[in-house]
Amino acid sequence: MPNTEIITKLLARHDTWRGQSQKPSQRSISSGNDQIDLLLKGGWPASALTELLVQRPGIGELSLLLPTIKDYCQNNHLSVWLDPPYQPYAPALAAAGIALQKVLIVQSKSAAEWLWVAEQCIRNNALLLAWSDNKMPSYSDLRKLQLAAADSGHAAFLFSNNKQSGNQKSNRQESGSSPATLRLEVDSVGEKNLRLSVRKLRGVAPGEQLLIPRGKDLSSQVSLAKLPVNSVYPAIPISTDIPRIKTSDQRLNA
């Protein structure tokens, strides 16, 4: 007998096409900005990887995702920030209505660890925000993340530095190829505006642009690598509500 549960899940995926039916439509998540939703034909692609090609970190790109982060956190999901270049500015996140206890910052030690954390976050229902500048993931690496997003039904966001020097760019960046459903270039225009340029999105001509007011910067411009580290872990009281991890096979129950 066929496994009906697996078949049902496959047919429910947005990228599954059935004969004699219309092309599958891409589900989307509202960005919270009507202009952005109009540009992206509904909002951020759901069940998909979005790649944000940023002129440089800290120009206000995180403000584009504030409503999405808030919605995920309010629905009891973690928002995992993987290798952010700067310390996130907690007061600005709190002012945007984001539950800080639902924001988890992870610093990876290698490209393999970065990829493992990113994939596990997506598959365990967390909202992933990942920065890839120091890890330079390959096309096949990002393909794994795209498939994980399609399987989990959740959106994932990857930040890439669009202004790296030639010897720092990966082959994927140079060729412009990416398995991401959406590739959106973000750069600043003056001190008050951001320009969004679509590089890749089904149904949208490459090069379409939108100029929007620049949002608040959510980083204090302090590199996480330069922050002081407490090498002595504080003792955890027995009465604490924080669960202790006892196995090496921990998973994010977001």
Side-chain angles (χ1 to χ4, degrees), residues 133-204:
D133 295 340
N134 296 327
K135 301 302 183 291
M136 296 184 183
S138 65
Y139 185 98
S140 60
D141 291 339
L142 297 188
R143 178 64 177 164
K144 290 182 180 180
L145 302 187
Q146 170 64 33
L147 290 175
D151 289 339
S152 69
H154 293 288
F157 296 90
L158 173 70
F159 293 90
S160 302
N161 189 345
N162 197 38
K163 298 298 182 181
Q164 288 178 319
S165 61
N167 60 348
Q168 291 179 316
K169 286 189 176 181
S170 65
N171 292 332
R172 182 186 64 81
Q173 288 173 311
E174 289 177 346
S175 65
S177 61
S178 171
T181 298
L182 167 63
R183 300 190 84 202
L184 189 67
E185 186 174 344
V186 183
D187 58 7
S188 58
V189 180
E191 298 181 354
K192 297 183 178 180
N193 296 299
L194 286 178
R195 179 170 54 211
L196 311 182
S197 305
V198 176
R199 282 197 180 182
K200 175 187 175 183
L201 180 64
R202 179 184 299 171
V204 180

Side-chain angles (χ1 to χ4, degrees), residues 1-11:
M1 293 294 292
N3 190 322
T4 56
E5 182 179 355
I6 293 178
I7 294 176
T8 300
K9 289 182 178 180
L10 287 174
L11 293 178

Side-chain angles (χ1 to χ4, degrees), residues 21 24 40 80 87 111 122 157 159 197 233 253:
S21 67
L40 303 181
V80 179
Q87 179 186 21
I122 297 173
F157 296 90
F159 293 90
S197 305
Y233 291 92
N253 296 317

